[in-house]
């Protein structure tokens, strides 16, 4: 049953509280994909913690651009890993609370059943000034295949209205859950930043670029610039072809084509179209147009049509 209230965005939008995304930074790419596919269903339906959200193997493969055999394995592994995931926060009374993302999963040939906990369902449905959130099209983010593209895309969309963001190295490692092996700047750029930004710019609705932030000679962070790509202009509907330029050429037999192309090749009205050494060669060119009027400019086809009807005995 669809919710009557709190349904701010349709199912093709991912809408996540910023703190939710900060919690899933340690997930694998396939876990994030599965989570992202499930959250719009949790948001827009009245499902409770005792009811499953179902993601089929076919749907997962199609949305993520995977072969069905690869999707079957990836979905199974992601489902198991998600079941083992938890996150935490500190309550007002200073007690540390740990929460599982979901309390039950089921997986088979057809797909995965995910049972979110009540606390997570609430997080996936509350969006207001006290619970800031980021939104983007589901189909856009699921195209991303690099390990850290999805996380950087979310950060970019989170700060898009400000034109970008600046982040220290320590915060970047924290936000993306990066291993210490990437502390060398060249390694970080080659393995994380450059491939992710290239993929984001090529496959999403934004251009994402960056520059170093230095302290002395050392790089201490990065400044990212986010620009929305210009939306494609709506294509104008082409006017209908003049029936006289195409349809009236149709259904001519080979004998008719040979006859009328010979006649037309000798008309003075069409002589300026010829760069051919003799009439027979010009006639061969005209016969090609009589067979396929779209093979030349429309204006040329119109001239030949006009001559065909006014200067010969051709009848439909």
């Amino acid at each position: 049953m669809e919710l009557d209230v709190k349904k701010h965005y349709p199912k093709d939008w991912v809408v996540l509280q910023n703190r939710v995304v900060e919690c899933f930074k340690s997930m694998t790419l396939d876990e994030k994909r599965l989570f992202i596919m499930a959250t719009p269903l949790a948001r827009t339906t009245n499902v409770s913690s005792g009811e499953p959200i179902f993601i089929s193997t076919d749907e997962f493969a199609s949305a993520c651009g995977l072969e069905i055999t690869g999707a079957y394995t990836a979905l199974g592994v992601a489902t198991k890993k998600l079941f083992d995931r938890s996150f935490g926060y500190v309550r007002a009374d200073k007690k540390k609370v740990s929460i599982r993302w979901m309390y039950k999963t089921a997986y088979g040939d057809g797909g995965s059943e995910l049972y979110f906990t009540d606390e997570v369902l609430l997080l996936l449905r509350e969006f207001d000034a006290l619970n800031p959130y980021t939104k983007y099209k589901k189909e856009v983010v699921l195209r991303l295949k690099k390990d850290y593209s999805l996380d950087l895309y979310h950060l970019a969309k989170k700060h898009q209205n400000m034109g970008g963001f600046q982040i220290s190295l320590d915060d970047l490692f924290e936000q993306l859950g990066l291993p210490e092996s990437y502390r060398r700047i060249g390694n970080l750029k080659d393995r994380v930043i450059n491939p992710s930004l290239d993929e984001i710019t090529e496959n999403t609705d934004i251009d994402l670029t960056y520059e170093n932030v230095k302290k002395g000679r050392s790089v201490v962070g990065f400044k990212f610039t986010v620009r929305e790509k210009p939306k494609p202009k709506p294509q104008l509907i082409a006017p209908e072809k003049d029936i006289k330029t195409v349809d009236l050429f149709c259904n001519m037999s080979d004998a008719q084509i040979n006859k009328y192309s010979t006649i037309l090749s000798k008309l003075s009205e069409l002589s300026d179209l010829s760069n051919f050494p003799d009439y027979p060669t010009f006639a061969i060119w005209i016969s090609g147009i009589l067979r396929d009027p779209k093979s030349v400019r429309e204006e040329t086809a119109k001239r030949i049509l006009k001559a065909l009807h006014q200067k010969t005995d051709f009848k439909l």
Side-chain angles (χ1 to χ4, degrees), residues 108-268:
D109 291 348
S112 291
E113 295 177 1
L114 308 177
Y115 296 78
F116 284 104
T117 59
D118 287 325
E119 293 93 338
V120 172
L121 286 173
L122 183 61
L123 283 173
L124 298 178
R125 292 168 177 167
E126 291 287 331
F127 310 108
D128 52 40
L130 297 177
N131 299 289
Y133 61 95
T134 302
K135 65 183 189 300
Y136 36 77
K137 278 293 192 76
K138 181 175 66 176
E139 65 178 23
V140 172
V141 73
L142 289 176
R143 295 176 195 155
L144 302 175
K145 302 182 184 302
K146 303 293 184 183
D147 288 340
Y148 300 103
S149 294
L150 193 153
D151 305 86
L152 282 168
Y153 178 77
H154 181 89
L155 280 172
K157 296 297 287 187
K158 178 180 176 181
H159 297 93
Q160 183 173 341
N161 289 338
M162 295 178 282
F165 62 99
Q166 185 168 312
I167 189 168
S168 69
L169 284 178
D170 288 339
D171 285 345
L172 182 66
F173 271 71
E174 172 67 20
Q175 292 275 356
L176 272 59
L178 295 174
E180 288 300 307
S181 59
Y182 289 149
R183 280 289 175 180
R184 189 170 65 82
I185 294 299
N187 203 27
L188 176 63
K189 290 182 177 180
D190 291 343
R191 298 293 186 87
V192 178
I193 298 178
N194 292 334
S196 296
L197 266 58
D198 288 345
E199 186 179 38
I200 289 169
T201 297
E202 181 177 354
N203 294 286
T204 74
D205 56 334
I206 58 172
D207 290 319
L208 186 58
T209 57
Y210 77 100
E211 58 188 83
N212 296 334
V213 175
K214 290 187 174 183
K215 185 175 183 180
R217 299 180 63 182
S218 299
V219 175
V220 296
F222 301 104
K223 181 181 179 181
F224 292 88
T225 300
V226 185
R227 295 185 179 90
E228 184 175 8
K229 291 179 181 176
K231 292 181 173 59
K233 295 180 180 179
Q235 293 187 352
L236 298 176
I237 299 176
E240 291 186 8
K241 290 279 187 182
D242 182 350
I243 191 171
K244 292 181 180 179
T245 65
V246 177
D247 293 348
L248 295 184
F249 279 126
C250 297
N251 300 320
M252 296 180 71
S253 67
D254 286 341
Q256 287 178 309
I257 290 173
N258 291 334
K259 172 185 175 180
Y260 292 111
S261 62
T262 298
I263 296 172
L264 293 171
S265 69
K266 298 176 182 178
L267 294 178
S268 60

Side-chain angles (χ1 to χ4, degrees), residues 55-101:
I55 305 296
S56 73
T57 306
D58 288 342
E59 182 184 4
F60 188 77
S62 176
C64 302
L66 302 174
E67 296 292 334
I68 192 68
T69 52
Y72 176 82
T73 302
L75 185 57
V77 173
T79 301
K80 184 179 184 307
K81 285 181 174 291
L82 269 179
F83 178 70
D84 295 330
R85 295 288 181 184
S86 63
F87 64 97
Y89 65 91
V90 179
R91 267 188 345 206
D93 61 3
K94 306 301 182 182
K95 290 185 178 179
K96 296 181 178 179
V97 179
S98 294
I99 301 173
R100 296 181 71 97
W101 285 104

